[in-house]
Amino acid sequence: KQMTSINSIMGLSARSLDGFSKSLFNVARQTGQAFDEVATAAEEFSRQGLGVDETLKRTRDTMILVRLTGLDTARAVGTLTAAMSTFAKAGEDSTSILNKVVAADQKFAVSARDIAEAFQRVGSVVDDAGVNIDQFIGLVTAARQITSREGPVIGNSLKTILTRLEKSSTLDDLEALGVAVRDAAGNARPALQVFNELAKTYGTLGREQQNLVAQLGGGVYQINQFKALMLDLGKANGIAAQAERTAANATNEALVRNAMLNDTLATSVQNLKTTATQAASAVGS
C-alpha cells in the first residue's frame, strides 16, 4: 500500500519500483527504523519531485536525524527540506549538513536536536542575513552553551536578532554609535556582518551604551541571548568560532555514529521486524 502510494507520485515501472522498495528496506535496516517511518519520509521527498537516488539519500539522512535527535519523521523531513532549500545553493547536500550537525553535537554542549529545532524556527532568515550552515551552527552552539536555553528558544532569538539588524532604523542608530553597518557603496551589510562588527566594539562600550545596543539588536525579549552572543563573538577564539570550524571540517561523523548504533540489541530486534515485513510483502505480492 505504501509503495503504491509512493509510485502514484513517482510513476516508476514495476521493475524500478521493486528495486526502490528493496532499497527502502535496506535504509530501514541501516538506520534501525521501522519500514513505515522510512516509507513515510520517502513519500514526502517524492512529492518534491526528486529522483530515486536523491529520494533514497535524503530518506536515509532523515532517518539518521530521527535516530540521533528523537524528532518525529515529519519534523525531521521538514527540517532537512528547509536546510536544503537554504543551503543547497552553497553546495551543501543533506549528508554534509547532517555530518556538520553531528560533529558539533559530539564536541560541544549542544545536541543535534537543539540545532535542528533552532533551524526550524529561524528558517530562511539566515540566508537573507548572509549566514552559511557553519556560521549558523556556531551561533546556535555558542548560545546553547552560554545560556543553556533550548533549540526552539535559540532559534526564535536568532530570528529576532537577525531581522532587527536588517531594519533601516536599527542600522541608522548603530551607525550613529560608530558601527560600520554599510559598505563603501553605501549599501547595508548583511545582518551577520553587522553583528560581527558590533561584537568588535561591544566590549569597549560603557554599560549604558551596551544596554542601548542590546535593546536595538535584541529587542525587549532577546536581550540576554544578544548579550551572550556579543561577548562570545567579540573573542578571537570564542565558542561560535570553534564550533564553526568544527562544522566546516566535518567529514562522516553522522554515518560513523549511525554505524555504532547498529551494533545494539534494539537495532537487531528492529531489523528482524523489518526483514519479516519485507518477507510478508513478498508473500503478499
Side-chain angles (χ1 to χ4, degrees):
K1 177 174 181 284
Q2 287 174 306
M3 294 310 301
T4 300
S5 179
I6 292 173
N7 202 38
S8 68
I9 301 168
M10 300 187 76
L12 301 175
S13 66
R15 185 173 182 177
S16 296
L17 183 63
D18 182 59
F20 186 53
S21 175
K22 290 178 180 177
S23 295
L24 287 180
F25 275 109
N26 287 334
V27 168
R29 279 187 284 267
Q30 290 168 6
T31 60
Q33 301 297 310
F35 179 76
D36 287 354
E37 297 301 317
V38 173
T40 297
E43 183 172 355
E44 289 303 314
F45 286 122
S46 68
R47 294 181 188 279
Q48 298 175 20
L50 302 176
V52 170
D53 291 341
E54 187 63 21
T55 296
L56 287 171
K57 180 180 179 180
R58 293 197 193 183
T59 298
R60 180 203 63 184
D61 293 339
T62 296
M63 301 323 296
I64 293 176
L65 185 63
V66 168
R67 189 180 204 180
L68 299 182
T69 63
L71 292 173
D72 60 45
T73 300
R75 291 178 69 187
V77 169
T79 297
L80 205 59
T81 298
M84 287 296 297
S85 298
T86 301
F87 299 119
K89 62 185 179 183
E92 305 292 350
D93 63 13
S94 58
T95 305
S96 68
I97 291 172
L98 184 61
N99 283 324
K100 290 174 183 294
V101 170
V102 173
D105 176 297
Q106 293 178 170
K107 292 189 176 182
F108 298 91
V110 65
S111 68
R113 180 171 188 142
D114 284 323
I115 298 172
E117 290 184 327
F119 187 77
Q120 284 182 324
R121 298 306 193 282
V122 73
S124 61
V125 170
V126 296
D127 186 41
D128 297 335
V131 181
N132 63 37
I133 181 65
D134 300 329
Q135 293 165 336
F136 172 74
I137 290 174
L139 291 173
V140 173
T141 300
R144 179 71 173 97
Q145 194 157 316
I146 296 170
T147 68
S148 298
R149 302 306 297 271
E150 296 181 345
V153 176
I154 293 170
N156 285 330
S157 296
L158 288 175
K159 183 177 181 179
T160 297
I161 291 168
L162 294 174
T163 300
R164 290 180 68 88
L165 290 178
E166 290 184 327
K167 292 175 61 177
S168 58
S169 58
T170 301
L171 295 177
D172 290 340
D173 290 336
L174 291 176
E175 193 169 38
L177 292 173
V179 180
V181 300
R182 293 182 172 82
D183 58 24
N187 299 315
R189 292 182 171 183
L192 182 63
Q193 290 186 21
V194 175
F195 207 26
N196 286 327
E197 284 295 327
L198 192 54
K200 293 177 183 178
T201 59
Y202 184 78
T204 66
L205 300 176
R207 185 171 182 177
E208 186 175 337
Q209 284 184 309
Q210 286 183 343
N211 288 333
L212 175 59
V213 168
Q215 290 177 18
L216 290 173
V220 177
Y221 300 106
Q222 310 302 341
I223 286 182
N224 290 337
Q225 299 282 351
F226 183 89
K227 288 182 176 180
L229 288 172
M230 279 290 96
L231 294 175
D232 183 74
L233 291 173
K235 300 175 183 177
N237 194 35
I239 297 170
Q242 294 178 47
E244 181 181 338
R245 286 196 299 271
T246 296
N249 294 325
T251 53
N252 62 343
E253 285 80 357
L255 302 182
V256 169
R257 191 163 168 185
N258 180 67
M260 292 174 63
L261 293 173
N262 283 340
D263 292 333
T264 63
L265 178 61
T267 299
S268 297
V269 172
Q270 179 58 58
N271 287 349
L272 184 61
K273 294 179 181 178
T274 299
T275 300
T277 301
Q278 187 174 16
S281 175
V283 170
S285 296

